[in-house]
Amino acid sequence: MNTYDRRRFIKLLANTGFMLASMSPLSAFSKSQKASARVLVVGGGFGGATCAKYLNVFDPSLSITLIEPSTRFKTCPFSNAVLSGIRDIDSISHGYQAHEKRGVNVVHDRVTHIDAVGKYVTLGDGKKLFYDKLVLSPGIDFKWDDVEGMTAADAKIIPHAWQGGSQTTLLRNQLVSMRDGASVIIAPPGNPFRCPPGPYERVSLIAHYLKQHKPKSKILVLDAKSKFSKQALFMQGWKKLYPGMIEWVGADDGGRIDYIEAKNKTIHTEMGDKHKAEVINFIPPQKAGLITHTAELTNGDGWCPVNQRTFESKQYPDIHIIGDASIAGKMPKSGFAANSQGKVCAAAIVSAIYGNKMPEPSYVNTCYSLVSPDYGISVAAVYRYSHDKGIYKVKGSGGVSPIEADAAFRKQEARYAKGWYDSITSDSFG
Ligand SMILES: Cc1cc2nc3c(=O)[nH]c(=O)nc-3n(C[C@H](O)[C@H](O)[C@H](O)COP(=O)(O)OP(=O)(O)OC[C@H]3O[C@@H](n4cnc5c(N)ncnc54)[C@H](O)[C@@H]3O)c2cc1C
């Protein structure tokens, strides 16, 4: 890096929220390697798209390839709004033209194999791509073996809609086709899982749809947990906006599922109750995206242990794992968290290539949820890293929406939610 580039990198980092540490001249890369260092980013969702973009922002001379099967990424954030009919799927779809314009090489394929020793990945078409640094942000997969009576194929009958796209559309179509008076079951998983408040926003926005179009219908929530994110705020909103429509059953009161008869759309609980419904949204227990398992990057719980300062794998050097797939201390598995980690990871990689000491990262997360289109609630926090604690929540930072608030306040938060979506998608995909 010449003096100008070095100054530019430091300025960019400062603008992106890093506390700068001293710079060291050590680097594992030779001068010629630095100019052409190859970074592969697998997964073009919130973590991967952000990381590929910021690698390019921090150092446009890097050779960056983003590998993602879809040409348009359909987000999970605001997919609950699609279920309730207040948004369409196109409004939550994003392409990669901005990445291509920046000079990021975008390859639409799936990585089927990682050779961590030979340092290459194999694509679906058999092609091999070699790397100096590899970033994985493959999101989540499901622990189907933990669910009695259901397989991945049964998600065509009982959609999870916990990965964006066709599953969102399938669940939406089922809601539209169901009879007025029929019931909907929503079954959220135990911790940890993608987007802790997501199932309860879903309950709310499906209730919003039913209230308008199928007012005789009801929602039964069979929860694998005994409490959930922003519970008091959600329940207050449900009582106010959808009285008598939603019944939430916690794990200790009969919410835990024993087995599912997928073809009969019937759920049997551990307490021996049997529930049949026209629409069931069972959200299975989760693990890191499949490729991290085949590459042996996960622990016994199915998630990827990483150095939480750089997101480098604890299993293999030069492989970084970000987003939902990683174990990121106290951070929740969210799109905002993945975006924040994408920037930290990009800075860590550029620092390593140029032998600069990694700056002190600061991470951020805000999760807005819509209880109705004009009723928003939120939870926010800032996080830092320490060697002893890993990523921890900064005391006194952020917080949740107040329980006592008027309609104007809730409406304002709903507006902020839309503003948040526009800015996070523009930061990740723009
Ligand atoms: C209903 C719902 C609502 C949500 N709402 C919010 C919200 O309001 N705010 C928020 O912050 N978060 C929200 N989330 C969470 C958010 O969607 C995830 O946390 C976020 O997408 C994680 O980013 P990621 O990069 O880890 O994974 P993803 O964004 O899922 O991206 C993973 C990508 O990797 C690709 N991929 C996987 N395997 C391979 C492979 N082998 N080769 C190539 N590509 C591969 C996939 O195609 C995918 O595009 C919500 C989630 C749900 C389900």
Side-chain angles (χ1 to χ4, degrees):
M1 226 182 232
N2 63 34
T3 316
Y4 167 75
D5 285 343
R6 194 183 173 96
R7 249 191 276 126
R8 182 173 173 275
F9 177 56
I10 294 169
K11 201 170 153 210
L12 285 167
L13 284 177
N15 290 342
T16 324
F18 291 93
M19 294 191 296
L20 298 170
S22 61
M23 301 298 211
S24 133
L26 298 171
S27 169
F29 287 78
S30 72
K31 208 172 173 188
S32 59
Q33 275 176 316
K34 284 173 198 171
S36 58
R38 296 156 304 179
V39 188
L40 299 183
V41 181
V42 179
F46 281 97
T50 306
C51 189
K53 171 178 168 178
Y54 277 87
L55 280 161
N56 172 269
V57 169
F58 293 154
D59 183 0
S61 76
L62 292 175
S63 160
I64 304 156
T65 302
L66 176 64
I67 306 161
E68 160 64 44
S70 310
T71 52
R72 287 185 71 72
F73 179 76
K74 296 177 178 70
T75 65
C76 286
F78 271 74
S79 65
N80 290 329
V82 173
L83 296 180
S84 81
I86 55 180
R87 281 232 182 192
D88 62 33
I89 199 102
D90 278 349
S91 76
I92 58 164
S93 305
H94 305 271
Y96 299 95
Q97 293 81 358
H99 282 76
E100 285 168 331
K101 255 192 214 152
R102 286 173 188 281
V104 173
N105 178 29
V106 182
V107 173
H108 292 297
D109 206 333
R110 182 170 287 280
V111 168
T112 55
H113 174 74
I114 297 170
D115 188 321
V117 179
K119 294 180 85 171
Y120 66 85
V121 304
T122 309
L123 301 182
D125 67 3
K127 203 168 159 190
K128 285 179 184 167
L129 295 181
F130 286 83
Y131 64 83
D132 297 301
K133 299 277 181 188
L134 175 64
V135 180
L136 304 176
S137 192
I140 52 153
D141 224 299
F142 301 108
K143 292 179 169 174
W144 291 111
D145 289 347
D146 292 4
V147 186
E148 204 180 321
M150 259 195 89
T151 63
D154 293 323
K156 290 204 172 111
I157 305 166
I158 296 185
H160 50 75
W162 219 242
Q163 287 161 324
S166 57
Q167 278 278 308
T168 306
T169 308
L170 178 60
L171 183 55
R172 165 73 185 157
N173 291 344
Q174 289 190 353
L175 290 166
V176 170
S177 319
M178 73 176 238
R179 284 176 304 114
D180 184 13
S183 53
V184 177
I185 295 178
I186 299 177
N191 294 316
F193 66 103
R194 157 178 283 185
C195 195
Y200 313 96
E201 181 191 66
R202 177 167 290 176
V203 170
S204 310
L205 291 185
I206 289 181
H208 173 76
Y209 168 74
L210 297 179
K211 188 176 168 180
Q212 291 174 327
H213 300 280
K214 331 238 159 159
K216 290 190 226 136
S217 290
K218 297 221 182 306
I219 302 175
L220 172 65
V221 187
L222 294 175
D223 209 322
K225 301 178 295 304
S226 48
K227 56 181 184 177
F228 61 87
S229 169
K230 295 186 267 187
Q231 183 163 352
L233 285 162
F234 273 115
M235 288 194 152
Q236 181 190 53
W238 293 347
K239 205 166 155 193
K240 198 170 182 158
L241 301 171
Y242 316 113
M245 187 178 258
I246 300 166
E247 184 189 358
W248 177 78
V249 184
D252 304 328
D253 300 314
R256 252 191 232 108
I257 292 172
D258 187 18
Y259 68 98
I260 300 174
E261 289 177 71
K263 298 200 174 51
N264 293 329
K265 291 197 175 175
T266 304
I267 289 184
H268 298 259
T269 68
E270 281 185 3
M271 283 197 179
D273 295 321
K274 185 174 160 182
H275 302 280
K276 196 169 166 64
E278 233 172 81
V279 176
I280 298 182
N281 171 221
F282 171 72
I283 305 166
Q286 295 159 30
K287 60 183 183 181
L290 189 62
I291 190 67
T292 62
H293 296 269
T294 48
E296 296 177 345
L297 294 161
T298 52
N299 68 6
D301 293 331
W303 303 101
C304 301
V306 293
N307 171 334
Q308 293 173 10
R309 193 162 186 260
T310 62
F311 289 89
E312 187 166 27
S313 166
K314 287 193 173 169
Q315 258 91 329
Y316 288 105
D318 297 322
I319 299 183
H320 295 246
I321 304 142
I322 55 175
D324 290 352
S326 67
I327 300 171
K330 294 287 178 210
M331 291 190 92
K333 296 188 184 301
S334 79
F336 202 163
N339 168 284
S340 188
Q341 293 161 13
K343 293 173 191 172
V344 170
C345 179
I349 287 174
V350 174
S351 300
I353 289 173
Y354 287 98
N356 296 330
K357 197 168 172 205
M358 169 66 187
E360 284 307 321
S362 166
Y363 320 73
V364 64
N365 181 62
T366 305
C367 277
Y368 287 100
S369 303
L370 293 177
V371 185
S372 82
D374 288 328
Y375 190 120
I377 56 177
S378 65
V379 56
V382 174
Y383 302 84
R384 285 262 154 80
Y385 171 84
S386 86
H387 184 69
D388 300 337
K389 294 191 269 187
I391 296 176
Y392 65 93
K393 182 177 173 296
V394 175
K395 226 174 169 180
S397 71
V400 292
S401 308
I403 194 90
E404 301 298 340
D406 59 15
F409 188 94
R410 302 289 189 226
K411 195 170 179 173
Q412 184 76 328
E413 285 229 84
R415 271 211 293 272
Y416 291 157
K418 288 164 203 140
W420 169 85
Y421 183 81
D422 291 343
S423 57
I424 196 88
T425 50
S426 141
D427 190 37
S428 303
F429 302 97

